[in-house]
Amino acid sequence: MSRAIFNKTLRGGLILGLLAAVSACGTTYNVPTASDKNTQMAANMFAEERDPATAQAGRRLSTSAALRQFAQVVARVEPVAERFCKQETADRPDFNCDINIVVDEQMPVRNAYQTYTKDGRPVVAFTVPMIADARNPDELAFVMGHEMGHHLGQHMHKQKQQAMAGAIILGAVAAYGQASANASNPYRYRGNDQQVLQDSMTLGAGVGQMAYSQTYELESDVIGAAITKAAGYDPVKGARFFARPEGQKTQDGNLSFWGTHPPDAKRLATVLATVEGIEANGGITRKTN
């Protein structure tokens, strides 16, 4: 085998290795395929939210009233979500279902996110502008369930694993390329090798972290719909929150909530299909290995 063919084969094998590594970090739950009816209904709902004449206006509350409404939603959703979590992770007794829902009083923009404390407790945080902007309790409940879905799906942990795998694989590709070039030309300039290697690892980490990002969002929508419905709220009405014609970035250039949770009709169609499945089968389903 010639060196060129060998190098090409090795690079191909490393890329396949990267794909295999990130594929091990796929979704836990089945994301239903939307029917034509779901897709059309979602497209209509999405169009309604994009048109000021037909968008659901909702009643804006004062900050104090919005915070009281938020507390009421938390009181209903949190215990339901924790029971759901314990039920779904009964085979993993060490899985932490003690989800703490908090108000982030420091962040000045509308946002909701899932994170962890230093000791590993899952946290779902809402900023005050986000709470005040919700048009109804269903929107709060759905966003809450969606963020909890990221914890149940272990998306942060999976993305870290994917980033590490991507950095290792593309770093190895770059290192092998440099070694091969050195073998072909012992006198070549090597002053940029370290930077090229670092850039390759950074690129690999970014590529790895982005793998399944859209699928993770849809999986969180599925879990969020189940939690929202179990808590007595309307997940379809709540999911309209994601269809708003909002900017992808805030005024200071950072990604907005809608930048990290891209709005599209597919999300609404997935929620519609999920609700149909829950009503027909009694719940959402996990993938079987």
Side-chain angles (χ1 to χ4, degrees), residues 38-287:
N38 297 146
T39 301
Q40 186 57 56
M41 288 179 63
N44 293 341
M45 292 166 61
F46 194 76
E48 287 173 5
E49 290 296 329
R50 297 274 151 160
D51 185 347
T54 57
Q56 291 189 1
R59 182 169 62 92
R60 292 300 189 272
L61 304 175
S62 66
T63 299
S64 58
L67 287 169
R68 287 195 297 271
Q69 176 178 258
F70 176 76
Q72 292 169 355
V73 175
V74 170
R76 285 177 59 176
V77 173
E78 187 171 27
V80 170
E82 291 184 354
R83 284 197 301 271
F84 180 85
C85 177
K86 291 175 182 177
Q87 173 187 326
E88 293 296 305
T89 60
D91 57 337
R92 290 176 285 170
D94 294 333
F95 195 93
N96 193 340
C97 290
D98 184 17
I99 303 169
N100 189 24
I101 305 175
V102 301
V103 177
D104 181 340
E105 298 180 348
Q106 303 302 316
M107 189 178 293
V109 297
R110 292 172 295 172
N111 199 10
Y113 56 91
Q114 189 264 316
T115 186
Y116 295 94
T117 61
K118 291 181 179 179
D119 61 357
R121 184 182 182 186
V123 174
V124 170
F126 280 68
T127 65
V128 174
M130 185 76 161
I131 294 169
D133 195 51
R135 298 175 296 188
N136 51 64
D138 303 280
E139 290 187 342
L140 286 172
F142 185 79
V143 174
M144 209 172 286
H146 171 90
E147 295 302 332
M148 291 172 173
H150 283 307
H151 171 56
L152 274 163
Q154 291 289 276
H155 296 159
M156 288 183 66
H157 298 302
K158 289 177 180 178
Q159 286 182 322
K160 286 180 180 179
Q161 293 172 358
Q162 292 163 198
M164 184 179 297
I168 291 172
I169 296 298
L170 287 194
V173 169
Y176 181 82
Q178 291 171 355
S180 180
N182 292 340
S184 299
N185 179 12
Y187 303 103
R188 80 176 186 87
Y189 177 69
R190 307 180 189 184
N192 294 329
D193 281 8
Q194 187 60 40
Q195 186 60 52
V196 170
L197 183 60
Q198 183 60 51
D199 290 346
S200 297
M201 294 180 71
T202 300
L203 175 62
V207 171
Q209 191 172 34
M210 288 301 294
Y212 291 102
S213 59
Q214 184 183 40
T215 306
Y216 288 160
E217 287 299 318
L218 292 177
E219 182 180 37
S220 288
D221 288 343
V222 169
I223 299 170
I227 292 173
T228 303
K229 189 170 179 60
Y233 293 103
D234 183 345
V236 176
K237 186 177 181 180
R240 280 179 174 264
F241 188 84
F242 288 95
R244 293 192 190 185
E246 301 284 348
Q248 300 290 299
K249 292 187 177 182
T250 60
Q251 290 183 346
D252 59 6
N254 294 320
L255 283 175
S256 69
F257 178 80
W258 289 267
T260 55
H261 300 75
D264 58 50
K266 183 177 180 180
R267 301 189 72 159
L268 290 173
T270 298
V271 172
L272 286 165
T274 299
V275 172
E276 284 185 358
I278 292 172
E279 292 174 347
N281 305 313
I284 58 177
T285 58
R286 296 172 67 177
K287 288 183 174 179

